[in-house]
Amino acid sequence: MMDIEEKILNYKKELDFFDEPIDKYKYLLDQGRKSRDFPEKYKQEVFLVKGCQAQVWLVPNYNKGTISFLGDSDAFITKGMISIIIDIYGDRSPKEIIESDFGKLNMLGLDNILTPSRRNGVYSMLEYVKNYAKGYLEV
Amino acid sequence: MNNKFSFDANNFRKEFPIFNKKINGKDLIFLDTAASAQKPQCVIDSVNKCYSENYANIHRGVYHLSANLTSQYERVREKVAKFINAKSNKEIIFTKSATEALNLIASCLYKDYLKEDDEILLTYLEHHANIVPWQINNIGKKTKLVVADLNDDTTLNIEDLIKKISKKTKLISITHMSNSLGHINDIKKVCNEAKKRNIPVVVDGCQYIAHGRVNVAEIGCDFYVFSGHKIYGPSGIGVLYGKQSWLENLPPYQGGGDMIERVTFEKTTFAELPQKFEAGTPPIAQVIGLGSAIDYVKKINVDEIYLYQKYLYQYAYESLRSIPSLNIIGHSDNKGGILSFTLDYAHTNDVGVILDQEGIAIRTGHHCTQPLMKKLGIDSTARASFGLYNTKNDIDRLSSSLKRMKEFFNE
């Protein structure tokens, strides 16, 4: 299995393939469409990522030392980004997540999506990923 | 619809240096003036000049720079008073924002005026800045917020507002123009009804100040607030107009420099108006910039700007209304240059991100009006708003991008 940085580099390679920024967004839409179904029962307040313009849900699952995530959003581009982030950080130990350099995500060149001021939920979701990992580290 | 409008927006646009900038390689189409207007060169120059040629702290300085800037600062107060037809300069208080002005009023009215079980009448169209100050200052008094309803077309239901005025109503606080939907409220009628019952009225004029001529004497309100950045001035400057009788009787808002007459450890007496409400070093350069912005809009002709923005709204409404799966939220005959919409096939956030790729800046979200959004049964809108520098071409670009957008999301 690729480590976190390798995964990011892999996505970077795919995104670099597109010359036009608009095609990168189309790629995100496709990622969102391909992502795992998100059960309606999880669309609860407790799983909402706060501080987002769009609604974003993130559900962690801890099993035998690894965390996986399910995520969804009512905004399609945000959903695509979430599915990428879940793929990058999912199925890993809390320690691996915490020790990773979150700044490496900037390599994806999707700065205006990842900037906190855009308030589209992705930045907030990263904070939740970190915090869930920290929480399970102490389990 | 009259397509021949003599307003020369293309020419005015040249006075705003931001439009020399490319966004994502494209010409900037700025449709977010309702959040904050761009600044003409003369405003930028006036702020620069203040810092580079004239700067010193104002009031009480005996030397040339301080005395000179103090008189410039006070001349802006006079300019603002004339701009909104206040009776006296003493009725104009500078704050850091309109939000601060509303917080000032709420804080001061709660100290002495508002009592247990009093009712404050608001509307569903209010910005959070005209809701939250009434809540957070409501400590131990249990005042109640009563909310006037909307008509089916999302405009304010004035009859409902009047119906909701009760013996307990001690204040009406209402927006002059909805920042989310653009509806202009009949403030004069509200003030007339309030006056009959001796109830003071606070008017949030943040949006309207850039969409219509304000005459506080004619409106008959007790307080009127607006911010400088919405009328092409700097951010960091708000204006509170208050009737002199109110301002004289209210307790001070904050303590500090400039608002005092005499300080001892035993007792402090306060300065006369307007300094009584301007504690600390005020936003000096921002006030100077506001003065320049007022000169600028007056030079162009305030009424023509307002008419032009209404015209742009009508043009945008006609352009966007036939786009499939696009829902215009809140069309009415009496609106300023604000058009809110949603799309059936994408979230407003998606719309904003994709338009940005084309250099088109709109605002998406709840626009700090969550109770309104809830009332309308939506989470957010995409909002295009217009200023004096926008053209029909800007709206054509928006319209053509929105026409292509469905394809993007459905492919």
Side-chain angles (χ1 to χ4, degrees):
Chain A
M1 184 182 167
M2 284 187 268
D3 67 24
I4 288 175
E5 196 169 334
E6 283 168 342
K7 274 264 188 189
I8 294 174
L9 282 169
N10 209 37
Y11 275 111
K12 177 178 158 46
K13 216 174 359 173
E14 293 205 27
L15 283 159
D16 282 349
F17 176 75
F18 305 108
D19 291 332
E20 291 295 322
I22 197 80
D23 292 327
K24 295 187 186 194
Y25 288 100
K26 196 156 268 185
Y27 172 80
L28 287 180
L29 282 186
D30 290 340
Q31 294 301 311
R33 285 189 186 116
K34 283 193 293 195
S35 66
R36 277 177 63 190
D37 285 344
F38 187 85
E40 281 298 311
K41 65 177 178 180
Y42 290 143
K43 288 191 176 173
Q44 299 172 27
E45 181 83 23
V46 66
F47 296 123
L48 262 183
V49 176
K50 295 202 167 64
C52 313
Q53 193 175 93
Q55 293 196 92
V56 176
W57 296 271
L58 182 71
V59 183
N61 182 33
Y62 186 69
N63 188 23
K64 293 177 187 161
T66 61
I67 310 178
S68 60
F69 298 97
L70 279 174
D72 201 0
S73 174
D74 50 0
F76 298 125
I77 294 168
T78 309
K79 184 174 175 175
M81 199 64 215
I82 285 166
S83 69
I84 290 177
I85 283 170
I86 285 175
D87 185 42
I88 293 170
Y89 294 100
D91 298 317
R92 302 194 183 272
S93 70
K95 191 167 177 283
E96 191 183 356
I97 295 173
I98 289 162
E99 287 177 356
S100 71
D101 179 359
F102 281 78
K104 298 268 185 209
L105 271 172
N106 291 333
M107 284 194 297
L108 299 183
L110 296 163
D111 299 357
N112 60 349
I113 292 186
L114 291 170
T115 304
S117 63
R118 292 301 292 247
R119 294 186 164 219
N120 59 8
V122 178
Y123 181 86
S124 303
M125 205 193 67
L126 278 177
E127 288 295 309
Y128 274 65
V129 166
K130 272 187 237 177
N131 286 336
Y132 279 130
K134 272 183 202 160
Y136 286 118
L137 194 63
E138 288 154 15
V139 169
Chain B
M1 174 177 180
N2 174 20
N3 282 318
K4 287 179 190 158
F5 208 96
S6 62
F7 193 84
D8 194 0
N10 272 315
N11 213 17
F12 299 131
R13 193 187 186 97
K14 290 179 193 152
E15 295 166 12
F16 292 74
I18 194 93
F19 292 110
N20 297 326
K21 195 174 161 64
K22 298 272 180 197
I23 303 289
N24 294 318
K26 312 229 168 63
D27 287 338
L28 167 63
I29 305 291
F30 187 76
L31 298 173
D32 195 21
T33 296
S36 200
Q38 295 298 344
K39 317 303 171 200
Q41 190 63 51
C42 61
V43 168
I44 298 166
D45 288 346
S46 73
V47 174
N48 280 342
K49 198 173 164 192
C50 172
Y51 283 127
S52 57
E53 294 178 28
N54 284 320
Y55 192 73
N57 209 336
I58 57 167
H59 296 144
R60 294 186 311 277
V62 293
Y63 53 92
H64 174 81
L65 280 178
S66 176
N68 187 30
L69 194 53
T70 301
S71 63
Q72 281 188 39
Y73 179 92
E74 291 303 327
R75 275 205 297 277
V76 176
R77 198 189 302 278
E78 199 177 322
K79 205 173 275 181
V80 172
K82 278 189 188 144
F83 189 60
I84 62 170
N85 198 24
K87 275 186 192 157
S88 154
N89 297 354
K90 291 180 178 178
E91 295 182 319
I92 304 298
I93 311 294
F94 291 126
T95 59
K96 75 174 166 67
S97 62
T99 295
E100 192 188 31
L102 284 167
N103 275 276
L104 185 161
I105 302 169
S107 168
C108 293
L109 288 178
Y110 266 107
K111 279 177 194 155
D112 282 342
Y113 174 72
L114 291 164
K115 302 275 186 305
E116 187 82 18
D117 292 331
D118 285 351
E119 290 180 357
I120 300 166
L121 186 48
L122 308 175
T123 81
Y124 270 102
L125 295 173
E126 302 314 315
H127 188 282
H128 294 162
N130 193 23
I131 301 171
V132 184
W134 305 112
Q135 293 172 327
I136 62 174
N137 284 288
N138 184 15
I139 302 163
K141 291 199 175 167
K142 294 183 188 143
T143 57
K144 190 179 157 198
L145 297 184
V146 177
V147 187
D149 219 330
L150 304 181
N151 295 310
D152 290 343
D153 66 358
T154 73
T155 55
L156 174 66
N157 184 336
I158 292 245
E159 285 69 37
D160 185 66
L161 184 142
I162 294 166
K163 211 167 67 192
K164 282 180 173 153
I165 301 175
S166 76
K167 282 191 175 143
K168 289 183 174 182
T169 308
K170 288 296 178 313
L171 184 76
I172 299 173
S173 192
I174 178 173
T175 184
H176 202 162
M177 174 175 161
S178 159
N179 69 306
S180 289
L181 305 180
H183 301 311
I184 295 170
N185 289 328
D186 188 350
I187 293 299
K188 215 172 148 182
K189 187 168 180 184
V190 173
C191 288
N192 281 340
E193 293 296 328
K195 208 177 281 177
K196 285 183 207 165
R197 299 160 175 87
N198 208 20
I199 298 167
V201 180
V202 178
V203 179
D204 170 4
C206 276
Q207 282 305 326
Y208 190 78
I209 197 73
H211 293 272
R213 191 179 280 275
V214 174
N215 182 335
V216 289
E218 198 183 295
I219 293 168
C221 57
D222 297 83
F223 300 94
Y224 196 98
V225 306
F226 68 91
S227 50
H229 70 98
K230 296 276 207 284
I231 48 162
Y232 312 98
S235 56
I237 174 67
V239 171
L240 160 62
Y241 156 81
K243 273 188 185 160
Q244 195 168 335
S245 52
W246 269 108
L247 294 180
E248 272 169 356
N249 288 316
L250 286 177
Y253 173 51
Q254 293 178 328
D258 242 18
M259 53 75 72
I260 56 94
E261 182 189 59
R262 180 165 291 274
V263 179
T264 67
F265 283 113
E266 289 71 37
K267 193 188 172 193
T268 293
T269 51
F270 307 118
E272 296 287 314
L273 291 175
Q275 272 74 32
K276 175 179 158 188
F277 289 102
E278 292 184 4
T281 297
I284 305 168
Q286 289 81 351
V287 166
I288 302 302
L290 172 64
S292 170
I294 289 175
D295 289 342
Y296 180 72
V297 293
K298 280 172 88 172
K299 197 176 95 189
I300 291 178
N301 187 324
V302 174
D303 292 324
E304 279 189 23
I305 296 172
Y306 305 151
L307 281 173
Y308 179 66
Q309 287 169 175
K310 264 178 183 289
Y311 164 78
L312 284 181
Y313 169 77
Q314 272 303 327
Y315 184 76
Y317 174 70
E318 296 299 335
S319 305
L320 266 57
R321 64 187 292 203
S322 56
I323 297 177
S325 310
L326 185 149
N327 318 298
I328 290 174
I329 309 291
H331 172 64
S332 75
D333 294 333
N334 192 18
K335 283 185 61 159
I338 288 178
L339 190 149
S340 255
F341 62 93
T342 59
L343 294 173
D344 290 340
Y345 54 83
H347 192 275
T348 56
N349 189 261
D350 293 322
V351 179
V353 170
I354 298 304
L355 288 177
D356 182 46
Q357 291 307 305
E358 308 204 14
I360 302 173
I362 62 156
R363 188 143 295 244
T364 61
H366 52 65
H367 317 296
C368 293
T369 55
Q370 285 180 345
L372 172 63
M373 294 293 131
K374 193 175 172 196
K375 175 87 177 161
L376 300 175
I378 50 181
D379 293 324
S380 62
T381 72
R383 182 188 71 183
S385 56
F386 316 117
L388 63 88
Y389 34 63
N390 288 119
T391 62
K392 277 164 55 177
N393 179 54
D394 293 345
I395 292 162
D396 292 343
R397 281 265 308 268
L398 172 70
S399 171
S400 97
S401 293
L402 288 170
K403 280 174 188 158
R404 288 196 308 271
M405 200 164 286
K406 192 171 187 180
E407 200 185 320
F408 178 82
F409 282 101
N410 289 347
E411 246 178 24

